[in-house]
Amino acid sequence: MEKMGIARSETAHSAFLANLLKSDNGLGLEESAIMWLLHILIEREDNATAYNSTSPIPTDVKAAVLSQTLKYDIEEITTEKVIDDVAHSYFATQSQYNNKRCDDRLDIYIKLKVNGLSVKYLEIVIENKVLQDENGPKSKNSLRYDCLTQTQRYYTACSYNNLNSAAL
């Protein structure tokens, strides 16, 4: 990436990672990129900043990943997805977004359809950082969404009132 002049480009890194994940065969094999990612999320969830003290990963999903029995189909892997497309029901409840779209963009959005578990979908949001720290609140004077850090905003919006999905 250095030779192409994009070594510090967050957008290029996100596209590269998304393409690696898209090459997954969906069989849930330990060698697949998606399974590696899910293993990492499970191993590191205690250190995650957005989740507070509650794990977003259902117990049966963890067991299926760790036992390598998770079966899934990749529904979507997209870069630069507008968060309102994923979490419109959340933004409809936020007064500062009254009849307006939230234009925050998710660096990488992954939606997996899973079979035989407590949820129908796993939704994974990757906020890619290249030489940058976590973005702080958009505004210190506003309510709810805009006063959270970037990953907290994304997790709050994507996990809102979604009974069929687990947002990771």
Side-chain angles (χ1 to χ4, degrees), residues 40-125:
I40 290 168
L41 290 173
I42 290 169
E43 290 171 9
R44 297 185 180 180
E45 75 175 324
D46 291 339
N47 297 328
T49 58
Y51 306 142
N52 297 326
S53 61
T54 305
S55 171
I57 307 171
T59 305
D60 61 337
V61 172
K62 285 182 193 178
V65 169
L66 295 175
S67 67
Q68 299 172 11
T69 59
L70 179 69
K71 300 294 182 218
Y72 58 87
D73 294 310
I74 298 172
E75 294 262 321
E76 179 180 1
I77 298 179
T78 308
T79 59
E80 297 298 311
K81 186 164 183 86
V82 175
I83 195 169
D84 204 292
D85 294 342
V86 175
H88 182 73
S89 62
Y90 172 79
F91 293 107
T93 68
Q94 303 301 301
S95 59
Q96 73 264 35
Y97 291 99
N98 189 22
N99 296 320
K100 294 186 294 182
R101 286 176 51 87
C102 177
D103 62 358
D104 283 354
R105 295 192 180 272
L106 307 173
D107 289 344
I108 303 173
Y109 172 77
I110 303 165
K111 185 173 184 178
L112 306 174
K113 182 177 182 186
V114 295
N115 302 312
L117 297 173
S118 60
V119 294
K120 293 181 182 179
Y121 297 96
L122 296 178
E123 294 179 286
I124 303 167
V125 173

Coordinates of all heavy atoms in Angstrom, one line a residue, residues 40-125:
I40 N -11.8 -13.5 17.3 CA -11.2 -12.3 17.9 C -12.2 -11.5 18.7 O -11.9 -11.0 19.8 CB -10.5 -11.5 16.8 CG1 -9.3 -12.2 16.2 CG2 -10.1 -10.1 17.3 CD1 -8.7 -11.6 15.0
L41 N -13.4 -11.3 18.1 CA -14.4 -10.5 18.8 C -14.8 -11.2 20.2 O -15.0 -10.5 21.2 CB -15.7 -10.3 18.0 CG -15.5 -9.4 16.8 CD1 -16.8 -9.5 15.9 CD2 -15.2 -8.0 17.2
I42 N -14.9 -12.5 20.2 CA -15.2 -13.2 21.4 C -14.1 -13.1 22.4 O -14.3 -12.8 23.6 CB -15.6 -14.7 21.1 CG1 -16.9 -14.7 20.4 CG2 -15.6 -15.5 22.4 CD1 -17.3 -16.1 19.8
E43 N -12.9 -13.3 21.9 CA -11.7 -13.3 22.8 C -11.5 -11.9 23.4 O -11.0 -11.8 24.6 CB -10.4 -13.7 22.1 CG -10.4 -15.2 21.7 CD -9.3 -15.5 20.8 OE1 -8.4 -14.6 20.6 OE2 -9.2 -16.6 20.3
R44 N -11.8 -10.9 22.7 CA -11.5 -9.5 23.1 C -12.7 -8.7 23.6 O -12.6 -7.5 23.9 CB -10.8 -8.7 22.0 CG -9.5 -9.4 21.7 CD -8.8 -8.6 20.7 NE -7.5 -9.2 20.4 CZ -6.6 -8.7 19.5 NH1 -6.8 -7.6 18.9 NH2 -5.5 -9.4 19.3
E45 N -13.9 -9.3 23.7 CA -15.0 -8.5 24.0 C -15.0 -7.9 25.4 O -15.6 -6.8 25.6 CB -16.3 -9.4 23.9 CG -16.5 -10.3 25.0 CD -17.9 -11.0 24.9 OE1 -18.9 -10.4 24.4 OE2 -17.9 -12.2 25.2
D46 N -14.2 -8.4 26.3 CA -14.1 -7.8 27.7 C -13.4 -6.5 27.6 O -13.6 -5.6 28.5 CB -13.4 -8.7 28.6 CG -14.2 -9.9 29.0 OD1 -15.4 -9.9 28.8 OD2 -13.6 -10.9 29.4
N47 N -12.6 -6.2 26.6 CA -11.9 -5.0 26.4 C -12.6 -4.0 25.5 O -12.1 -2.9 25.3 CB -10.5 -5.3 25.9 CG -9.6 -6.1 26.8 OD1 -9.8 -6.0 28.0 ND2 -8.8 -7.0 26.2
A48 N -13.7 -4.3 25.0 CA -14.4 -3.5 24.1 C -14.9 -2.2 24.8 O -15.3 -2.3 25.9 CB -15.6 -4.2 23.4
T49 N -14.9 -1.1 24.1 CA -15.2 0.2 24.7 C -16.7 0.5 24.6 O -17.2 1.2 25.4 CB -14.4 1.3 24.1 OG1 -14.7 1.4 22.7 CG2 -13.0 1.2 24.4
A50 N -17.4 0.0 23.6 CA -18.7 0.4 23.3 C -19.8 -0.4 24.1 O -20.9 0.1 24.2 CB -19.0 0.3 21.8
Y51 N -19.5 -1.5 24.7 CA -20.5 -2.4 25.2 C -20.9 -2.2 26.6 O -21.8 -2.9 27.1 CB -20.1 -3.9 25.0 CG -19.7 -4.3 23.6 CD1 -18.6 -5.1 23.4 CD2 -20.3 -3.8 22.5 CE1 -18.2 -5.5 22.1 CE2 -19.9 -4.2 21.2 CZ -18.9 -5.0 21.0 OH -18.5 -5.4 19.8
N52 N -20.1 -1.4 27.3 CA -20.3 -1.3 28.8 C -20.1 -2.7 29.4 O -19.1 -3.3 29.1 CB -21.7 -0.7 29.1 CG -21.9 0.7 28.6 OD1 -20.9 1.5 28.5 ND2 -23.0 1.0 28.1
S53 N -21.0 -3.2 30.2 CA -20.7 -4.5 30.9 C -21.5 -5.6 30.3 O -21.4 -6.8 30.7 CB -21.1 -4.3 32.4 OG -22.4 -4.0 32.5
T54 N -22.3 -5.4 29.3 CA -23.2 -6.4 28.7 C -22.6 -6.9 27.4 O -22.3 -6.2 26.5 CB -24.6 -5.9 28.5 OG1 -25.1 -5.4 29.7 CG2 -25.5 -7.0 28.0
S55 N -22.4 -8.2 27.3 CA -21.9 -8.8 26.1 C -23.0 -8.7 25.0 O -24.1 -9.2 25.2 CB -21.5 -10.3 26.3 OG -21.2 -10.8 25.0
P56 N -22.6 -8.3 23.8 CA -23.6 -8.2 22.7 C -23.7 -9.6 22.0 O -24.5 -9.8 21.1 CB -23.0 -7.2 21.8 CG -21.6 -7.3 22.0 CD -21.4 -7.6 23.5
I57 N -22.8 -10.5 22.3 CA -22.7 -11.8 21.6 C -23.5 -12.8 22.4 O -23.1 -13.2 23.5 CB -21.3 -12.2 21.4 CG1 -20.4 -11.1 20.8 CG2 -21.2 -13.5 20.6 CD1 -18.9 -11.4 20.8
P58 N -24.6 -13.3 21.8 CA -25.4 -14.3 22.5 C -24.6 -15.6 22.8 O -23.7 -15.9 22.0 CB -26.5 -14.6 21.5 CG -26.6 -13.4 20.7 CD -25.2 -12.9 20.5
T59 N -24.9 -16.2 23.9 CA -24.2 -17.4 24.4 C -24.2 -18.5 23.3 O -23.1 -19.1 23.1 CB -24.8 -17.9 25.7 OG1 -24.8 -16.8 26.6 CG2 -24.0 -19.0 26.3
D60 N -25.3 -18.7 22.7 CA -25.3 -19.8 21.7 C -24.5 -19.5 20.4 O -23.9 -20.4 19.8 CB -26.8 -20.2 21.3 CG -27.5 -19.0 20.7 OD1 -27.2 -17.8 20.9 OD2 -28.5 -19.3 19.9
V61 N -24.4 -18.2 20.1 CA -23.5 -17.8 19.0 C -22.0 -18.0 19.4 O -21.3 -18.6 18.6 CB -23.7 -16.3 18.6 CG1 -22.7 -15.8 17.6 CG2 -25.1 -16.1 18.1
K62 N -21.7 -17.6 20.6 CA -20.3 -17.9 21.1 C -20.0 -19.4 21.0 O -18.9 -19.8 20.5 CB -20.1 -17.4 22.5 CG -20.0 -15.9 22.7 CD -19.8 -15.7 24.2 CE -20.0 -14.2 24.5 NZ -19.9 -13.9 25.9
A63 N -20.9 -20.2 21.5 CA -20.7 -21.6 21.5 C -20.5 -22.2 20.1 O -19.6 -23.0 19.8 CB -21.8 -22.4 22.2
A64 N -21.3 -21.7 19.2 CA -21.2 -22.2 17.8 C -19.9 -21.7 17.1 O -19.3 -22.5 16.4 CB -22.4 -21.6 17.0
V65 N -19.5 -20.5 17.4 CA -18.2 -20.0 16.9 C -17.0 -20.9 17.5 O -16.2 -21.4 16.7 CB -18.0 -18.5 17.2 CG1 -16.5 -18.1 16.8 CG2 -19.0 -17.7 16.4
L66 N -17.0 -21.0 18.8 CA -15.9 -21.7 19.4 C -15.9 -23.2 19.1 O -14.8 -23.7 19.0 CB -16.0 -21.4 20.9 CG -15.8 -20.0 21.4 CD1 -16.0 -19.8 22.9 CD2 -14.4 -19.5 21.0
S67 N -17.0 -23.8 18.8 CA -17.0 -25.2 18.5 C -16.9 -25.4 17.0 O -17.0 -26.5 16.5 CB -18.3 -25.8 19.0 OG -19.4 -25.3 18.3
Q68 N -16.8 -24.3 16.2 CA -16.7 -24.2 14.8 C -17.9 -24.9 14.1 O -17.7 -25.5 13.1 CB -15.4 -24.9 14.4 CG -14.2 -24.2 14.9 CD -12.9 -25.0 14.7 OE1 -12.8 -25.9 13.9 NE2 -11.8 -24.5 15.4
T69 N -19.1 -24.7 14.7 CA -20.3 -25.2 14.1 C -21.2 -24.2 13.5 O -22.3 -24.5 13.0 CB -21.1 -26.1 15.1 OG1 -21.4 -25.3 16.2 CG2 -20.2 -27.3 15.5
L70 N -20.8 -22.9 13.6 CA -21.6 -21.8 13.1 C -21.7 -21.9 11.6 O -20.8 -22.0 10.8 CB -20.9 -20.5 13.4 CG -21.7 -19.2 13.0 CD1 -23.0 -19.1 13.7 CD2 -20.9 -18.0 13.1
K71 N -23.0 -21.9 11.1 CA -23.3 -21.9 9.7 C -23.9 -20.6 9.4 O -24.9 -20.1 10.1 CB -24.2 -23.0 9.3 CG -23.7 -24.4 9.7 CD -22.5 -24.7 8.8 CE -22.0 -26.1 9.1 NZ -20.6 -26.2 9.1
Y72 N -23.5 -19.9 8.3 CA -24.0 -18.6 8.0 C -23.9 -18.3 6.5 O -23.1 -19.0 5.8 CB -23.2 -17.5 8.7 CG -21.7 -17.5 8.4 CD1 -21.2 -16.8 7.4 CD2 -20.9 -18.3 9.2 CE1 -19.9 -16.9 7.1 CE2 -19.5 -18.3 9.0 CZ -19.0 -17.6 7.9 OH -17.7 -17.7 7.6
D73 N -24.6 -17.4 6.1 CA -24.6 -16.9 4.7 C -24.2 -15.4 4.8 O -24.8 -14.7 5.7 CB -25.9 -17.0 3.9 CG -26.2 -18.5 3.7 OD1 -25.4 -19.2 3.2 OD2 -27.4 -18.8 4.0
I74 N -23.3 -14.9 4.0 CA -23.0 -13.5 4.0 C -24.1 -12.8 3.2 O -24.3 -13.0 2.0 CB -21.6 -13.2 3.3 CG1 -20.5 -13.9 4.1 CG2 -21.3 -11.7 3.2 CD1 -19.1 -13.9 3.4
E75 N -24.8 -11.9 3.9 CA -25.9 -11.1 3.3 C -25.3 -9.9 2.7 O -25.7 -9.4 1.6 CB -26.9 -10.7 4.3 CG -27.7 -11.9 4.9 CD -29.1 -12.1 4.2 OE1 -29.7 -11.1 3.8 OE2 -29.4 -13.2 3.9
E76 N -24.3 -9.3 3.4 CA -23.8 -8.0 3.0 C -22.4 -7.7 3.6 O -22.3 -8.0 4.8 CB -24.7 -6.9 3.3 CG -24.3 -5.5 2.9 CD -25.3 -4.4 3.3 OE1 -26.4 -4.7 3.9 OE2 -25.0 -3.2 3.0
I77 N -21.5 -7.2 2.8 CA -20.3 -6.7 3.4 C -20.0 -5.4 2.6 O -19.9 -5.4 1.3 CB -19.0 -7.6 3.2 CG1 -19.3 -8.9 4.0 CG2 -17.8 -6.9 3.7 CD1 -18.1 -9.9 4.0
T78 N -20.1 -4.2 3.2 CA -20.1 -2.9 2.6 C -19.2 -2.0 3.3 O -19.1 -2.0 4.5 CB -21.5 -2.3 2.6 OG1 -22.5 -3.3 2.1 CG2 -21.6 -1.0 1.8
T79 N -18.5 -1.2 2.5 CA -17.7 -0.1 3.2 C -18.5 1.2 3.0 O -19.3 1.4 2.1 CB -16.3 0.0 2.5 OG1 -16.5 0.3 1.1 CG2 -15.5 -1.2 2.7
E80 N -18.2 2.1 4.0 CA -18.8 3.5 4.0 C -20.3 3.4 3.9 O -21.0 4.3 3.3 CB -18.2 4.3 2.8 CG -16.7 4.5 2.9 CD -16.3 5.3 4.1 OE1 -16.9 6.4 4.4 OE2 -15.4 4.9 4.8
K81 N -20.9 2.5 4.7 CA -22.4 2.4 4.7 C -23.0 3.5 5.6 O -22.5 3.7 6.7 CB -22.8 1.1 5.2 CG -24.3 0.9 5.1 CD -24.7 -0.6 5.2 CE -26.2 -0.8 5.1 NZ -26.6 -1.0 3.7
V82 N -24.0 4.2 5.2 CA -24.6 5.2 6.0 C -25.4 4.6 7.1 O -26.2 3.7 6.9 CB -25.6 6.1 5.1 CG1 -26.4 7.1 6.0 CG2 -24.8 6.8 4.0
I83 N -25.1 5.0 8.4 CA -25.7 4.3 9.5 C -27.2 4.4 9.6 O -27.8 3.5 10.0 CB -25.0 4.9 10.8 CG1 -25.4 3.9 12.0 CG2 -25.5 6.3 11.1 CD1 -24.6 4.2 13.3
D84 N -27.8 5.4 9.0 CA -29.2 5.5 9.0 C -29.9 4.4 8.2 O -31.0 4.0 8.5 CB -29.7 6.9 8.5 CG -31.0 7.3 9.0 OD1 -32.0 6.6 8.6 OD2 -31.1 8.2 9.7
D85 N -29.2 3.8 7.3 CA -29.7 2.7 6.5 C -29.8 1.4 7.3 O -30.6 0.6 7.1 CB -28.8 2.4 5.3 CG -28.8 3.5 4.2 OD1 -29.7 4.4 4.3 OD2 -27.9 3.6 3.4
V86 N -28.9 1.4 8.4 CA -28.9 0.2 9.2 C -29.8 0.4 10.5 O -30.4 -0.5 10.9 CB -27.4 -0.1 9.7 CG1 -27.4 -1.2 10.7 CG2 -26.5 -0.3 8.5
A87 N -29.8 1.6 11.0 CA -30.5 1.9 12.3 C -31.5 3.0 12.2 O -31.6 3.8 13.1 CB -29.4 2.3 13.3
H88 N -32.3 3.0 11.1 CA -33.3 4.0 11.0 C -34.3 4.1 12.1 O -34.7 5.1 12.6 CB -34.1 3.9 9.7 CG -35.1 4.9 9.4 ND1 -34.7 6.2 9.1 CD2 -36.4 5.0 9.5 CE1 -35.8 7.0 9.0 NE2 -36.8 6.2 9.3
S89 N -34.7 2.9 12.7 CA -35.7 2.9 13.8 C -35.1 3.6 15.0 O -35.8 4.3 15.8 CB -36.1 1.5 14.2 OG -34.9 0.7 14.6
Y90 N -33.8 3.6 15.2 CA -33.2 4.3 16.3 C -33.2 5.8 16.1 O -33.7 6.6 17.0 CB -31.7 3.9 16.5 CG -31.0 4.8 17.5 CD1 -31.1 4.5 18.9 CD2 -30.1 5.8 17.1 CE1 -30.5 5.3 19.8 CE2 -29.5 6.6 18.0 CZ -29.7 6.4 19.4 OH -29.1 7.2 20.3
F91 N -32.9 6.2 14.9 CA -32.8 7.7 14.6 C -34.2 8.3 14.6 O -34.4 9.5 14.9 CB -32.1 8.0 13.3 CG -30.6 7.7 13.5 CD1 -30.0 6.5 12.9 CD2 -29.8 8.4 14.3 CE1 -28.7 6.2 13.1 CE2 -28.5 8.2 14.5 CZ -27.9 7.0 13.9
A92 N -35.2 7.5 14.3 CA -36.6 8.0 14.3 C -37.0 8.4 15.7 O -38.0 9.2 15.9 CB -37.6 6.9 13.8
T93 N -36.3 7.8 16.8 CA -36.7 8.2 18.2 C -35.9 9.3 18.7 O -36.1 9.8 19.8 CB -36.5 7.0 19.1 OG1 -35.0 6.7 19.2 CG2 -37.2 5.7 18.6
Q94 N -34.9 9.8 17.9 CA -34.0 10.9 18.4 C -34.5 12.2 17.9 O -34.5 12.5 16.7 CB -32.6 10.6 17.9 CG -32.0 9.3 18.4 CD -32.0 9.1 19.9 OE1 -31.4 9.9 20.6 NE2 -32.7 8.1 20.4
S95 N -34.8 13.1 18.8 CA -35.4 14.4 18.5 C -34.4 15.3 17.6 O -34.9 16.0 16.7 CB -35.7 15.2 19.7 OG -34.6 15.4 20.5
Q96 N -33.1 15.2 17.8 CA -32.2 16.0 16.9 C -32.2 15.5 15.5 O -31.7 16.2 14.6 CB -30.8 16.1 17.5 CG -30.0 14.8 17.4 CD -30.1 13.9 18.6 OE1 -31.1 13.9 19.3 NE2 -29.0 13.3 19.0
Y97 N -32.7 14.3 15.2 CA -32.8 13.8 13.9 C -34.2 13.8 13.3 O -34.5 13.0 12.4 CB -32.2 12.4 13.8 CG -30.7 12.4 14.0 CD1 -30.1 12.1 15.2 CD2 -29.8 12.8 13.0 CE1 -28.8 12.2 15.5 CE2 -28.5 12.8 13.2 CZ -27.9 12.6 14.4 OH -26.6 12.6 14.6
N98 N -35.1 14.6 13.9 CA -36.5 14.6 13.5 C -36.6 14.9 12.0 O -36.2 15.9 11.5 CB -37.2 15.7 14.3 CG -38.7 15.7 14.1 OD1 -39.2 14.6 13.7 ND2 -39.3 16.8 14.3
N99 N -37.0 13.9 11.3 CA -37.2 13.9 9.8 C -35.9 14.2 9.1 O -35.9 14.7 8.0 CB -38.2 15.0 9.4 CG -39.6 14.6 10.0 OD1 -40.0 13.5 9.9 ND2 -40.3 15.6 10.5
K100 N -34.7 13.9 9.7 CA -33.4 14.1 9.0 C -32.7 12.7 9.1 O -32.9 12.0 10.1 CB -32.6 15.1 9.7 CG -33.1 16.5 9.5 CD -32.2 17.6 10.1 CE -32.0 17.4 11.6 NZ -31.1 18.4 12.2
R101 N -31.9 12.5 8.1 CA -31.0 11.3 8.2 C -29.7 11.6 8.9 O -29.2 12.6 8.8 CB -30.7 10.8 6.7 CG -31.8 10.2 6.0 CD -31.4 9.8 4.6 NE -30.2 9.0 4.4 CZ -30.1 7.7 4.5 NH1 -31.2 7.0 4.7 NH2 -29.0 7.1 4.3
C102 N -29.2 10.6 9.6 CA -27.9 10.7 10.2 C -26.9 10.2 9.1 O -27.1 9.1 8.6 CB -27.8 9.8 11.5 SG -26.1 9.8 12.2
D103 N -26.0 11.0 8.8 CA -25.1 10.7 7.7 C -23.7 10.1 8.2 O -22.8 9.9 7.4 CB -24.8 11.9 6.8 CG -24.2 13.0 7.6 OD1 -23.9 12.9 8.8 OD2 -23.9 14.0 6.9
D104 N -23.6 9.7 9.4 CA -22.4 9.0 9.9 C -22.2 7.7 9.0 O -23.2 7.1 8.6 CB -22.5 8.5 11.3 CG -22.3 9.6 12.3 OD1 -22.0 10.7 11.9 OD2 -22.5 9.4 13.5
R105 N -21.0 7.4 8.7 CA -20.7 6.3 7.8 C -19.9 5.2 8.6 O -18.9 5.5 9.3 CB -19.9 6.7 6.6 CG -20.7 7.7 5.8 CD -20.1 7.9 4.4 NE -20.9 8.8 3.6 CZ -21.9 8.4 2.9 NH1 -22.2 7.2 2.8 NH2 -22.6 9.3 2.2
L106 N -20.3 4.0 8.4 CA -19.7 2.8 9.0 C -18.6 2.4 8.1 O -18.8 2.2 6.9 CB -20.7 1.7 9.2 CG -22.0 2.1 10.0 CD1 -22.9 0.9 9.9 CD2 -21.6 2.5 11.4
D107 N -17.3 2.3 8.6 CA -16.2 2.0 7.7 C -16.4 0.6 7.1 O -16.3 0.5 5.8 CB -14.9 1.9 8.5 CG -14.4 3.3 8.9 OD1 -14.9 4.3 8.4 OD2 -13.6 3.4 9.8
I108 N -16.8 -0.4 7.8 CA -17.1 -1.7 7.3 C -18.4 -2.2 8.0 O -18.4 -2.3 9.2 CB -16.0 -2.7 7.4 CG1 -14.7 -2.2 6.8 CG2 -16.4 -4.1 6.8 CD1 -13.5 -3.1 7.1
Y109 N -19.4 -2.6 7.2 CA -20.6 -3.2 7.8 C -20.8 -4.6 7.2 O -20.7 -4.8 6.0 CB -21.8 -2.3 7.4 CG -23.1 -2.9 7.7 CD1 -23.6 -2.9 9.0 CD2 -23.9 -3.6 6.8 CE1 -24.8 -3.5 9.4 CE2 -25.1 -4.1 7.1 CZ -25.6 -4.1 8.4 OH -26.8 -4.7 8.7
I110 N -21.0 -5.5 8.1 CA -21.1 -7.0 7.8 C -22.4 -7.5 8.3 O -22.7 -7.3 9.5 CB -19.9 -7.8 8.3 CG1 -18.6 -7.2 7.9 CG2 -20.1 -9.3 8.0 CD1 -17.4 -7.8 8.7
K111 N -23.2 -8.1 7.5 CA -24.4 -8.7 7.9 C -24.4 -10.2 7.5 O -24.3 -10.5 6.3 CB -25.7 -8.0 7.3 CG -27.0 -8.6 7.8 CD -28.1 -7.7 7.4 CE -29.4 -8.2 8.0 NZ -30.6 -7.4 7.5
L112 N -24.5 -11.1 8.5 CA -24.5 -12.5 8.3 C -25.8 -13.1 8.7 O -26.3 -12.8 9.8 CB -23.4 -13.2 9.2 CG -22.0 -12.7 9.0 CD1 -21.1 -13.4 10.1 CD2 -21.4 -12.9 7.6
K113 N -26.4 -13.9 7.9 CA -27.6 -14.7 8.2 C -27.1 -16.0 8.8 O -26.3 -16.7 8.2 CB -28.5 -15.0 7.0 CG -29.7 -15.7 7.4 CD -30.6 -15.9 6.2 CE -31.9 -16.5 6.7 NZ -32.8 -16.9 5.5
V114 N -27.5 -16.2 10.1 CA -27.1 -17.5 10.8 C -28.3 -18.4 10.9 O -29.5 -18.0 10.9 CB -26.5 -17.1 12.2 CG1 -25.2 -16.3 12.0 CG2 -27.5 -16.4 13.1
N115 N -28.0 -19.7 11.1 CA -29.0 -20.7 11.1 C -29.1 -21.4 12.4 O -28.1 -21.7 13.0 CB -28.8 -21.8 10.0 CG -28.7 -21.1 8.6 OD1 -29.5 -20.4 8.3 ND2 -27.6 -21.5 7.9
G116 N -30.3 -21.6 12.9 CA -30.6 -22.4 14.1 C -30.1 -21.8 15.4 O -29.8 -22.5 16.4
L117 N -30.0 -20.4 15.5 CA -29.6 -19.8 16.8 C -30.6 -18.9 17.3 O -31.7 -18.7 16.7 CB -28.2 -19.1 16.5 CG -27.1 -20.0 16.1 CD1 -25.9 -19.1 15.7 CD2 -26.7 -20.9 17.2
S118 N -30.3 -18.2 18.4 CA -31.3 -17.3 19.1 C -31.5 -16.0 18.3 O -32.5 -15.3 18.5 CB -30.8 -17.0 20.5 OG -29.6 -16.3 20.4
V119 N -30.7 -15.7 17.3 CA -30.8 -14.6 16.5 C -30.7 -15.1 15.0 O -30.2 -16.1 14.7 CB -29.7 -13.5 16.7 CG1 -29.9 -12.9 18.1 CG2 -28.3 -14.1 16.5
K120 N -31.3 -14.3 14.1 CA -31.3 -14.6 12.7 C -30.1 -14.0 12.0 O -29.7 -14.5 10.9 CB -32.6 -14.2 12.0 CG -33.8 -14.9 12.5 CD -35.1 -14.4 11.7 CE -36.3 -15.1 12.2 NZ -37.5 -14.6 11.6
Y121 N -29.6 -12.9 12.5 CA -28.5 -12.2 11.9 C -27.5 -11.8 12.9 O -27.8 -11.5 14.1 CB -29.0 -10.9 11.2 CG -30.0 -11.2 10.1 CD1 -31.4 -11.1 10.3 CD2 -29.6 -11.5 8.8 CE1 -32.3 -11.4 9.3 CE2 -30.5 -11.8 7.8 CZ -31.8 -11.7 8.1 OH -32.7 -12.0 7.1
L122 N -26.2 -11.7 12.4 CA -25.1 -11.1 13.1 C -24.7 -9.9 12.3 O -24.5 -10.0 11.1 CB -23.9 -12.0 13.3 CG -24.1 -13.3 14.1 CD1 -22.8 -14.1 14.1 CD2 -24.5 -12.9 15.5
E123 N -24.7 -8.7 12.9 CA -24.3 -7.5 12.3 C -23.0 -7.0 12.9 O -23.0 -6.8 14.1 CB -25.4 -6.4 12.3 CG -26.6 -6.8 11.6 CD -27.7 -5.8 11.7 OE1 -28.3 -5.7 12.8 OE2 -27.9 -5.1 10.7
I124 N -22.0 -6.9 12.1 CA -20.7 -6.5 12.6 C -20.3 -5.1 12.0 O -20.4 -5.0 10.8 CB -19.6 -7.5 12.3 CG1 -20.0 -8.9 12.8 CG2 -18.2 -7.1 12.8 CD1 -19.2 -10.1 12.3
V125 N -19.9 -4.2 12.9 CA -19.4 -2.9 12.4 C -18.0 -2.8 12.8 O -17.6 -3.0 13.9 CB -20.2 -1.8 13.0 CG1 -19.6 -0.4 12.7 CG2 -21.7 -1.8 12.6

